[in-house]
Amino acid sequence: MSEALWKVMTDSGVDVADMLIFLPSRRAVRTVEKMIAEKSGGTAILPTLVGLGQGVDGDEEDDLTVNAFSNTERVTVLAKLLAADANVGSIANALPVAHDLVRMQDYLENEGIAAEKIDWGALVDEKYAGHFQNKAKILGILSSFMPMYANGRVTATSARNQDIRAWKNVLGKYKLVIVCGSTASVPATADLMVEVAKVPHGRIILSGKIYGRSQDFELNTNPYNAEWKFLQRLNMGQNDVIQIDVGNSVIDFMNVAFGNDCTRMDVNTDLSNCTLIECGREAVEAQVVAYIAQQAVQQNKSVLVITPDAAGNQRIVSALDACGIVSDCSGGVPGTMTMPGRALLNLMDSWIESDDNSYDAIYADANANLFDTIAIIVDKYSNVFMPQFNPKDKKYVAIWTAIKDVSDALVNTDMKLNLTDARAFVADALAGVSIRDNMNDDAQVVVLGTIESRMQTADVVILTGLNDGMFPAQGYENAWLPRHLCDKVGLPSPDRKVSLQALDFMNLSCGKQVYWLRSTVAGGVQTTESRFISRVVARHGNFNKDTDIVQNVLNRDNVEMRPLDYSIPTPPPDWSDVYVTELEHLIHNPYSFYARHILRLQVLDDYWMGVDARYFGTLVHKVVENATDLRPDALVAEMDRLALEKMSVGSVMFHFWHKRFLEIAPVIANEMTKLQNSVPEIKGAVNIAGRTVRAKADRVWDGGVLDIKTGAVPSDSQLEKGNMPQLPLEAYMLQQGGFPIQTTQQSKTPVMKFLQLKSGDVRIVPYDEQQTQQYIAAAIEKVTELFNIYSAGGAGYEYRETGDYKYKGYDDLARIKD
């Protein structure tokens, strides 16, 4: 198509600046810009290039005309009306029906059908099933109500069609006007093409090579059905179309294969440029795409991948990423699958499941504004979102915009939402968003849908999803009217999509090297090969079949077995800084220290696990660290608040935790009042045996250190042997001036304390100067011994069996049960 366009441009003799060229999409515009620049030696004055759907004033098709009746508001008001019907019952049930109604109304508008002028009751009379009659009543009510509600505002579909038709008024400003690559399947586009064809300086470049029997073209499934109808409007036929020779291709065979003239035998059946690959399942199909692309890129070839559905697009992009292949992908990630989308829906689902009323309070504070409610939730619950995300990330702007649009529509329709309805609207808004990366002109692999593939080509073309129902996809089956009534009203045939995709298949199969891919099983169900392939087979097309590529992909999973290495890990001597909490691992289980400190492996929390003792400890530490009001009841209130962010008021866990809070608050209040001049959560360091030991102490003051334990404190025996060195080493840091606080002579002979918050035994466990010094000496001796063994001595980090769960987090890596 690009070559044909260039020929028409150069043969015209018209200056490029005086040309107006209409193309199927904005991506096609980018492609033609590059083509013209390359043909012109790298730099060129460009003609006026327009993606169909772009207005005369330059507005893109995604931008609504001022005062337009947005699809979001249309869906919202329809959902409100439908939810009031007892047969629908809820917003969640109403939203998909509302979308279907909007889709049908758009089809009517596209075809120029005035829905408000149709007598729906007379059209669907008593001859038809009751459910069709009920639907006709709804159509009648909405067809009269929606224009009144819109109050003069036009829909997005109407605005786009007006923008396309408005170009008819400016054709005279140019010396050459070309429409290239459009199928004339959309009435507004067809109207524009008719006007272009009528002017002397107008040119229409049709896709494919229309040739065959007129009775075939009249079939809704024929690839040239839309082009034939366009030619009929001009009182023309196929013989009036001039063929542009752009080299040899298989288009003549395709025309015969997709026609119904069984007498035609004089056709070259050589399809050696095409290769069919059948895969066992969709995941393998995506991996085969990546394999072919990888081989092509290594040969410095460009690759065009065509995928007919969003899920296939995501699978293919993931497979390409896994192979380290940079691709330019037209499909994006649905908003529901982004991190903000998943986090919001997960939180709202958890509230629904636990009967949590947090939403109601926030919604009331936000004056029943959904967007403001979501904004408060994002700010307030950022630390509990699963997964975590950065709300300021620019790539998520489309998500917040979609939620804002829904929120504005809800205000306009005066709707108030409970949590379940809010969740339904948020999910619906997210589903309508697609997060896309910017076009990457340097990528050697491009992944596109069938519509965006028009005007595109590459050295290697890969068509995927070639199963019936996928490629070709099923057309729009109108659930509101019987099919013959749809024809009577003037709605397009559901087969129109088959026709358009057939033309895409034919054109794309004319590439130099083409792969046809399909999965024999999809979603656990056996598939049927695309009727497009069946037509090629029926006409005895001689294409290649490849099984080696699939086998090569499957062989990647057959990894050669290697015996496990059970030897003790012995890395190079480690003299890096080490925290006192990690030294406990080195003492009790050296392998745990190796995995945690040297390999830097962190054990991830199980997403499905609820709150446990670790969170209890974190919660208490946080309250003690940040407390400004040390009254016991204030401490309990703050601990309750943090706990209720993770659990509901009626949960058994909260009941027991609240009792613990009541037990520990008076002791915390009393001790923290005594230590009001202490510094919380302060970092310190000291050198022991040539290695820096670091700590983050719970509390430090001139003359002492304190550690908070929500369980039992170390025994005297453990402290005497240096086996629990954390608090003694923090005291040693204070003694050596290792904390950034002002100290006096008191800190030369420090004391240490444990604040034990163990259930049933809440108390302060103090140690005087003499005991503290004894434990400091034991800890230094133990740590020095360990550094001499592992850092200086280079000993291996052996696994030691221990009953303490704290040191067993890496048991699976140690393979102790093998």
Side-chain angles (χ1 to χ4, degrees):
M1 292 298 291
S2 296
E3 291 296 327
L5 174 61
W6 181 249
K7 178 174 174 56
V8 172
M9 291 171 62
T10 53
D11 288 353
S12 70
V14 174
D15 191 277
V16 173
D18 293 324
M19 297 180 183
L20 170 62
I21 301 175
F22 294 99
L23 299 164
S25 65
R26 283 174 285 180
R27 184 175 286 274
V29 169
R30 293 279 291 272
T31 299
V32 170
E33 287 175 346
K34 290 176 63 177
M35 181 269 292
I36 294 174
E38 289 171 1
K39 297 282 189 182
S40 304
T43 304
I45 295 175
L46 294 173
T48 301
L49 299 172
V50 178
L52 286 168
Q54 182 177 323
V56 176
D57 57 0
D59 291 336
E60 301 291 350
E61 59 183 284
D62 290 341
D63 300 326
L64 290 176
T65 303
V66 176
N67 199 33
F69 188 13
S70 73
N71 285 345
T72 301
E73 188 174 351
R74 292 167 71 194
V75 168
T76 302
V77 68
L78 286 171
K80 180 180 180 180
L81 295 171
L82 290 166
D85 188 325
N87 294 319
V88 178
S90 71
I91 291 295
N93 292 336
L95 281 169
V97 181
H99 277 287
D100 198 49
L101 270 170
V102 167
R103 189 179 183 187
M104 181 181 174
Q105 290 172 340
D106 285 344
Y107 269 106
L108 291 167
E109 284 193 8
N110 259 335
E111 302 300 321
I113 302 167
E116 67 276 10
K117 294 182 180 180
I118 296 176
D119 186 342
W120 295 100
L123 180 68
V124 187
D125 57 22
E126 65 276 0
K127 296 193 300 290
Y128 297 95
H131 70 92
F132 275 127
Q133 295 181 51
N134 291 333
K135 290 174 182 177
K137 292 177 183 177
I138 294 175
L139 290 172
I141 294 170
L142 295 180
S143 295
S144 58
F145 169 76
M146 292 300 280
M148 290 189 294
Y149 179 87
N151 194 26
R153 294 178 294 166
V154 296
T155 65
T157 298
S158 178
R160 183 179 65 249
N161 291 338
Q162 289 175 17
D163 285 343
I164 293 173
R165 290 187 172 99
W167 282 102
K168 295 188 294 185
N169 303 321
V170 299
L171 301 181
K173 296 180 180 180
Y174 299 89
K175 295 181 180 179
L176 178 66
V177 180
I178 303 172
V179 180
C180 181
S182 175
T183 58
S185 59
V186 177
T189 304
D191 291 346
L192 174 62
M193 291 172 65
V194 167
E195 294 302 315
V196 172
K198 287 180 179 178
V199 298
H201 58 290
R203 305 289 185 272
I204 308 293
I205 303 177
L206 296 175
S207 183
K209 180 182 177 182
I210 185 167
Y211 179 78
R213 303 186 309 174
S214 58
Q215 59 262 44
D216 290 345
F217 299 148
E218 291 170 358
L219 298 173
N220 290 328
T221 55
N222 187 274
Y224 297 112
N225 178 256
E227 291 184 2
W228 174 252
K229 290 177 178 177
F230 167 70
L231 291 174
Q232 293 292 291
R233 287 184 64 178
L234 297 173
N235 295 317
M236 292 182 177
Q238 57 184 307
N239 294 330
D240 298 308
V241 179
I242 301 170
Q243 294 184 12
I244 302 174
D245 184 9
V246 292
N248 294 328
S249 75
V250 300
I251 192 65
D252 289 325
F253 171 83
M254 290 295 176
N255 281 345
V256 172
F258 281 78
N260 293 331
D261 185 359
C262 298
T263 64
R264 283 286 307 272
M265 304 299 293
D266 56 333
V267 61
N268 185 356
T269 61
D270 180 15
L271 299 181
S272 55
N273 65 312
C274 299
T275 301
L276 173 64
I277 301 177
E278 295 185 314
C279 309
R281 60 185 192 278
E282 293 165 302
V284 175
E285 183 179 347
Q287 293 168 10
V288 167
V289 170
Y291 181 91
I292 296 170
Q294 192 173 45
Q295 301 294 315
V297 169
Q298 289 173 356
Q299 299 171 29
N300 201 31
K301 293 181 178 179
S302 58
V303 181
L304 173 62
V305 182
I306 308 301
T307 173
D309 72 318
N313 187 296
Q314 289 300 305
R315 283 192 298 270
I316 290 168
V317 171
S318 296
L320 292 171
D321 289 343
C323 293
I325 300 173
V326 178
S327 62
D328 179 14
C329 173
S330 67
V333 178
T336 50
M337 296 303 294
T338 61
M339 288 190 287
R342 288 164 54 202
L344 281 169
L345 296 179
N346 286 341
L347 180 63
M348 297 176 91
D349 285 340
S350 69
W351 284 346
I352 292 171
E353 292 170 6
S354 61
D355 293 326
D356 192 310
N357 60 0
S358 299
Y359 163 83
D360 297 327
I362 297 171
Y363 190 60
D365 290 341
N367 296 318
N369 184 289
L370 181 62
F371 181 78
D372 291 345
T373 301
I374 296 299
I376 294 171
I377 290 172
V378 169
D379 288 339
K380 186 175 182 180
Y381 294 93
S382 59
N383 61 324
V384 300
F385 275 132
M386 285 292 181
Q388 290 284 302
F389 65 93
N390 178 10
K392 296 181 180 179
D393 195 322
K394 290 182 179 179
K395 67 182 178 183
Y396 298 138
V397 169
I399 287 177
W400 312 127
T401 301
I403 294 176
K404 180 68 166 62
D405 290 344
V406 168
S407 180
D408 292 344
L410 291 167
V411 171
N412 292 342
T413 54
D414 192 28
M415 286 186 69
K416 302 296 187 293
L417 306 179
N418 59 33
L419 174 56
T420 302
D421 291 344
R423 198 269 184 207
F425 269 111
V426 169
D428 188 71
L430 292 171
V433 174
S434 186
I435 305 299
R436 295 183 175 91
D437 293 328
N438 293 328
M439 290 186 190
N440 184 353
D441 290 331
D442 297 324
Q444 286 184 279
V445 179
V446 180
V447 183
L448 303 177
T450 52
I451 294 176
E452 283 199 310
S453 70
R454 293 164 191 168
M455 298 290 298
Q456 310 298 320
T457 189
D459 298 320
V460 177
V461 177
I462 307 172
L463 306 180
T464 69
L466 282 165
N467 289 322
D468 235 40
M470 184 64 69
F471 196 168
Q474 293 180 343
Y476 173 56
E477 288 288 352
N478 193 316
W480 296 86
L481 295 172
R483 181 176 285 195
H484 72 281
L485 287 185
C486 292
D487 296 337
K488 183 176 180 180
V489 169
L491 287 170
S493 165
D495 292 328
R496 183 165 72 178
K497 196 163 191 176
V498 176
S499 166
L500 297 176
Q501 288 194 328
L503 186 58
D504 292 330
F505 175 84
M506 291 167 53
N507 288 331
L508 290 164
S509 295
C510 292
K512 299 175 186 176
Q513 187 176 3
V514 181
Y515 290 92
W516 298 329
L517 270 61
R518 63 175 295 261
S519 302
T520 55
V521 173
V525 178
Q526 187 146 359
T527 60
T528 302
E529 73 176 10
S530 169
R531 67 188 72 178
F532 301 159
I533 296 177
S534 299
R535 279 187 169 270
V536 172
V537 171
R539 276 296 182 170
H540 306 291
N542 293 316
F543 55 86
N544 306 305
K545 285 191 175 182
D546 191 303
T547 57
D548 292 341
I549 292 178
V550 175
Q551 194 57 52
N552 290 338
V553 168
L554 295 176
N555 286 341
R556 290 176 173 178
D557 294 332
N558 298 327
V559 180
E560 181 183 353
M561 283 189 59
R562 295 183 182 179
L564 293 173
D565 183 1
Y566 290 98
S567 61
I568 296 173
T570 310
D574 174 44
W575 289 96
S576 62
D577 295 0
V578 59
Y579 271 84
V580 290
T581 50
E582 293 177 321
L583 290 174
E584 292 182 18
H585 290 263
L586 187 58
I587 293 168
H588 297 283
N589 185 357
Y591 183 86
S592 178
F593 176 86
Y594 164 76
R596 177 187 175 100
H597 177 76
I598 296 178
L599 298 183
R600 303 291 182 187
L601 298 177
Q602 296 294 322
V603 179
L604 294 178
D605 293 334
D606 187 339
Y607 176 78
W608 299 105
M609 290 291 289
V611 293
D612 54 17
R614 288 175 302 166
Y615 182 71
F616 182 89
T618 301
L619 181 156
V620 172
H621 275 76
K622 184 175 182 179
V623 171
V624 175
E625 176 188 351
N626 299 317
T628 55
D629 186 346
L630 294 174
R631 292 177 298 112
D633 58 340
L635 294 173
V636 171
E638 180 62 11
M639 288 187 280
D640 280 348
R641 186 186 69 79
L642 292 177
L644 289 173
E645 289 183 357
K646 292 285 189 177
M647 60 187 78
S648 62
V649 176
S651 70
V652 174
M653 183 73 79
F654 178 74
H655 170 75
F656 286 108
W657 278 25
H658 179 68
K659 289 184 66 177
R660 290 280 306 275
F661 298 154
L662 293 173
E663 181 185 18
I664 66 179
V667 179
I668 293 173
N670 183 57
E671 187 62 24
M672 292 302 107
T673 301
K674 294 178 183 177
L675 298 177
Q676 288 199 38
N677 293 326
S678 61
V679 182
E681 299 295 324
I682 183 171
K683 294 181 179 180
V686 70
N687 188 282
I688 300 176
R691 189 170 183 180
T692 300
V693 177
R694 298 188 177 276
K696 187 176 182 182
D698 288 342
R699 289 276 166 170
V700 175
W701 65 94
D702 181 20
V705 294
L706 176 139
D707 187 41
I708 301 171
K709 296 290 186 187
T710 50
V713 303
S715 66
D716 289 341
S717 174
Q718 289 175 313
L719 293 171
E720 288 168 359
K721 294 176 181 178
N723 287 339
M724 298 296 285
Q726 178 184 349
L727 189 57
L729 290 182
E730 290 175 358
Y732 181 56
M733 289 178 194
L734 178 62
Q735 193 178 61
Q736 298 298 311
F739 288 108
I741 65 170
Q742 288 187 340
T743 59
T744 64
Q745 193 64 29
Q746 274 187 297
S747 291
K748 295 299 180 183
T749 55
V751 298
M752 61 185 198
K753 298 180 181 181
F754 284 111
L755 174 53
Q756 177 176 279
L757 303 178
K758 180 182 177 183
S759 179
D761 189 13
V762 180
R763 59 190 172 91
I764 294 295
V765 182
Y767 304 93
D768 59 24
E769 293 90 339
Q770 185 177 353
Q771 288 175 300
T772 300
Q773 190 57 46
Q774 176 190 352
Y775 297 152
I776 289 175
I780 293 173
E781 181 181 355
K782 171 62 76 172
V783 171
T784 301
E785 176 188 353
L786 294 172
F787 290 169
N788 287 336
I789 294 172
Y790 296 103
S791 299
Y797 294 86
E798 73 278 11
Y799 178 85
R800 289 182 193 160
E801 189 70 46
T802 172
D804 194 329
Y805 182 79
K806 180 165 60 173
Y807 310 118
K808 295 171 68 67
Y810 302 93
D811 280 9
D812 56 335
L813 294 179
R815 299 185 178 276
I816 61 169
K817 295 182 180 180
D818 283 359

